[in-house]
Amino acid sequence: MMREIRRSEGLNGEDEKYLIRRKLLPVEVIIDKSGQVKTFRVKLSPGIMRITGVMTTMDTMVPAVQGDPVWYFGPGNAPNLFNSAFITRLRSGAFNRSFFSFRHTLDKGQWLYYAQPVSMNFFFVWGGAEFRKRATVPITDPDTGFTEDYDIWVSEEGPGQMHITVEIEE
Amino acid sequence: MSTCEVKLYNGRSLFYACNPTEGIKSGEFSELQKAVGEHLETPQFMPVDVANDTGVIRGTVKDLDNEETPYKIRVWLLAEYEPEKL
C-alpha cells in the first residue's frame, strides 16, 4: 500500500489535507501467437475509485516440448509416495521395442516400480511377482520440462527376484 | 521497441485510457519502485474512473509482433482509493 498526503485549497481559502492510498494490482496475460489480442477483467476492492497508472513487465517463456515417451523402472522404498521426483530418479529408457522385460533381485524392504505414460496403449504382462497398478501421477521430464500423467505399478515387497514383461500394442 | 499495446476500459466497456507502451520493461519492478508509486504513473495516462455499479476494470493486451512468442505480460494497475480528509 502506498500513501501520500495531498493538499488543496478549500472554499474558505484554507488548506485541506487528504490522505491518498494506492495499491498495485498485478494481472498476468500469456501471449501465444503473433498479433494476438487477449482481454482481462479485474474486480476491484470497495473504495477504489480510479486507476491512475499502468505499467507492464515481460517474461520470456520457454515452451515445454514433448519428447519421446519413456518408461521408468527400478527398486526403491516409497510405499505411499509416488511423485515426479521419485519416479524420475529410476532407470529410464525409450520404447524402442515392442516386447521387453525387466528383471531385478530385490533386497528386504524394497519394492520394484514401473511407470509408463497413460497416453500409450500396452498389453501389460507380469511374471514371477505380482505387480499392481497403484497410482497415476503427473511426471515432469527433467530434460524437457514436459509434464504428462503416468501409471505406476508396484511389486510385492522384497526379498526375491521380480520380473515384469511389457508388450507394446501395435 | 514496443512489445504490446495495453488498453483499459471501465466496467461499462467505455474506453478511457491508455497506451503505455513506453513503460514496458523486462524483469520485475524493484522494491523501491513498488514503494514509490509515483514512478509508475505513465506519462499521458488518462485516469480511468471505476464505474460504481460494476467495480471492475477491463483491459486488452494486443501483441505488436515485435517479440518471439510465447511470452508472459504482467500488467500492473495502480489503483487509487477515495481520498480521506485529514
Side-chain angles (χ1 to χ4, degrees):
Chain A
M1 183 73 73
M2 293 159 267
R3 293 178 173 80
E4 176 192 349
I5 305 288
R6 189 175 291 166
R7 297 170 194 275
S8 64
E9 190 176 332
L11 290 175
N12 55 7
E14 293 181 4
D15 273 358
E16 291 181 341
K17 290 182 187 174
Y18 291 92
L19 174 66
I20 307 293
R21 291 184 300 142
R22 290 170 171 169
K23 186 162 88 171
L24 275 173
L25 305 173
V27 182
E28 282 189 3
V29 178
I30 293 175
I31 300 291
D32 302 300
K33 292 179 286 190
S34 292
Q36 191 173 35
V37 178
K38 287 233 175 150
T39 61
F40 60 86
R41 178 181 184 275
V42 183
K43 177 75 176 163
L44 302 170
S45 307
I48 291 178
M49 59 177 293
R50 59 184 177 168
I51 304 297
T52 60
V54 61
M55 291 280 280
T56 58
T57 54
M58 191 188 81
D59 298 322
T60 304
M61 298 173 69
V62 178
V65 177
Q66 183 174 18
D68 293 331
V70 296
W71 48 258
Y72 293 97
F73 172 81
N77 183 343
N80 296 308
L81 180 66
F82 308 122
N83 59 27
S84 186
F86 171 75
I87 295 298
T88 54
R89 277 198 295 268
L90 303 176
R91 217 177 97 209
S92 67
F95 292 98
N96 50 11
R97 299 194 305 272
S98 61
F99 186 88
F100 52 95
S101 62
F102 303 100
R103 192 174 297 275
H104 192 86
T105 302
L106 287 176
D107 296 330
K108 184 170 172 51
Q110 278 193 319
W111 286 261
L112 204 51
Y113 299 87
Y114 172 77
Q116 67 182 34
V118 172
S119 59
M120 298 188 71
N121 290 323
F122 288 88
F123 289 119
F124 186 75
V125 186
W126 53 89
E130 187 173 354
F131 271 79
R132 288 189 177 165
K133 192 166 88 172
R134 298 290 293 275
T136 301
V137 298
I139 303 289
T140 301
D141 186 319
D143 296 327
T144 65
F146 187 81
T147 300
E148 69 175 311
D149 286 341
Y150 273 67
D151 288 330
I152 298 170
W153 280 263
V154 184
S155 75
E156 294 175 336
E157 184 181 0
Q161 190 180 75
M162 313 279 172
H163 73 271
I164 178 173
T165 302
V166 178
E167 185 177 355
I168 301 175
E169 189 177 38
E170 295 293 340
Chain B
M1 186 178 291
S2 300
T3 303
C4 63
E5 175 186 85
V6 180
K7 290 181 178 177
L8 294 184
Y9 304 77
N10 77 359
R12 299 170 200 268
S13 295
L14 296 174
F15 172 68
Y16 275 75
C18 65
N19 187 3
T21 48
E22 296 300 315
I24 291 175
K25 63 193 276 276
S26 293
E28 295 288 333
F29 290 118
S30 68
E31 288 306 311
L32 178 64
Q33 284 175 308
K34 285 183 183 178
V36 187
E38 285 79 3
H39 290 186
L40 301 177
E41 287 192 64
T42 313
Q44 301 174 342
F45 182 90
M46 182 186 295
V48 182
D49 289 328
V50 179
N52 288 333
D53 55 346
T54 63
V56 299
I57 286 290
R58 298 176 195 276
T60 60
V61 178
K62 180 184 177 185
D63 176 62
L64 296 179
D65 213 5
N66 292 323
E67 194 68 37
E68 287 277 317
T69 57
Y71 61 86
K72 182 168 71 180
I73 282 288
R74 190 169 292 140
V75 180
W76 300 82
L77 305 178
L78 187 60
E80 186 173 290
Y81 286 82
E82 195 165 357
E84 297 169 37
K85 191 172 181 183
L86 298 176

